[in-house]
Amino acid sequence: MSDWLAAIILGLVEGLTEFIPVSSTGHMLLLGHFMGFQSSGKTFEIVIQLGALLAIVSVYFRRLWTLATRWPFDAEARRFLIGLLVAFAPAVVIGFLAYDFIKTVLFETPQVVCVALIVGGILLLLLDRMDKRPQWLDANAYPMRVYFLIGLFQCLAMIPGVSRSGATIASGLLLKTDKRSAAEFSFFLALPTMGAAVAYDLLKNHKTLDFSDVGLIAVGFVTAFLTALVVVRFLLDFVSKHGFGPFAWWRIVVGVVGLALLQAGF
């Protein structure tokens, strides 16, 4: 397979999976393993995440601009920003302390990804079938306790295959938020979490980063942006109507197929 085709496929997968509960990192690691694609210093894999992040900024630009300009004067905007910081804080601490273990052990073990995909899929199925009566319907008005606990659950996604959006949405549902607001808050929490993760990756790997394949990176970036843009625009309505069952079954299928291929020596 040519590097150009691999860049397009990986960009598509990054954009399609970043904000749905199937683990974009898990899919990227498995695809990179089976396609034999790995950029120098993982520059490609790091930078294309910014394409998916840009999709969030594009869709929610007006709301983000309102938050950025109104928070000094608007108590509701200020409270939501504080809630985001409270939810983001656990990832900062745990990500910093466990960074080397995550990158050198967990990210280099595709079997971990497959098992996490399967287990996470089963848990999503169980959660989707629970009889839940949501208490919190507005992501702007969650109690601080809920913001913090969602942030703690998000840290589980440092295990590749768990899914950042899956961990945050599932924890939100367990804490009695509704599906739509849980998915929306997951979008907003992605901004500081992914932004910080990409920045820290670039800082830690600056000596080995290689931007010589600028064309491949640009193709992956644009592909990730365009596909993530579609996902972000339509995911909330899809989740409201269909729940998380389709994503759960997809995780299980990918995990089982991945384990089978690894067992066969691929």
Side-chain angles (χ1 to χ4, degrees), residues 26-46:
H27 280 69
M28 293 284 284
L29 290 173
L30 288 179
L31 272 176
H33 173 81
F34 291 125
M35 293 192 305
F37 179 90
Q38 183 173 349
S39 63
S40 301
K42 292 196 177 292
T43 309
F44 177 90
E45 294 86 342
I46 294 170

Side-chain angles (χ1 to χ4, degrees), residues 5 50 57 85 97 106 113 140 166 180 226:
L5 181 57
L50 295 176
V57 175
L85 292 175
L97 293 176
L106 296 181
V113 177
N140 289 320
R180 188 180 184 90
L226 293 176

Side-chain angles (χ1 to χ4, degrees), residues 12-197:
L12 280 169
V13 169
E14 168 64 26
L16 289 171
T17 60
E18 184 61 58
F19 302 113
I20 63 176
V22 298
S23 179
S24 64
T25 301
H27 280 69
M28 293 284 284
L29 290 173
L30 288 179
L31 272 176
H33 173 81
F34 291 125
M35 293 192 305
F37 179 90
Q38 183 173 349
S39 63
S40 301
K42 292 196 177 292
T43 309
F44 177 90
E45 294 86 342
I46 294 170
V47 173
I48 67 168
Q49 292 180 63
L50 295 176
L53 199 61
L54 184 60
I56 288 284
V57 175
S58 300
V59 172
Y60 286 99
F61 180 78
R62 287 187 180 179
R63 190 164 169 186
L64 290 169
W65 180 256
T66 299
L67 285 172
T69 56
R70 295 284 304 168
W71 71 266
F73 322 105
D74 187 326
E76 182 180 343
R78 189 161 56 249
R79 186 183 183 282
F80 181 61
L81 286 175
I82 293 171
L84 272 178
L85 292 175
V86 167
F88 171 55
V92 175
V93 176
I94 296 176
F96 177 77
L97 293 176
Y99 180 87
D100 290 337
F101 175 75
I102 293 166
K103 292 294 183 179
T104 60
V105 178
L106 296 181
F107 272 50
E108 300 298 329
T109 313
Q111 290 84 356
V112 169
V113 177
C114 295
V115 171
L117 284 169
I118 294 169
V119 173
I122 294 171
L123 292 176
L124 266 184
L125 281 177
L126 294 174
L127 185 62
D128 210 33
R129 295 174 183 179
M130 285 173 55
D131 182 21
K132 301 175 291 296
R133 291 186 176 86
Q135 184 177 353
W136 314 109
L137 308 179
D138 183 357
N140 289 320
Y142 290 169
M144 287 296 161
R145 170 184 62 86
V146 172
Y147 289 128
F148 179 69
L149 290 174
I150 289 175
L152 279 181
F153 272 93
Q154 179 180 237
C155 295
L156 292 173
M158 293 177 188
I159 303 171
V162 169
S163 168
R164 189 203 61 79
S165 60
T168 54
I169 292 170
S171 60
L173 297 181
L174 288 172
L175 295 164
K176 298 185 177 181
T177 71
D178 72 311
K179 293 175 182 177
R180 188 180 184 90
S181 72
E184 186 176 53
F185 183 67
S186 178
F187 289 162
F188 280 99
L189 187 54
L191 290 172
T193 304
M194 289 176 60

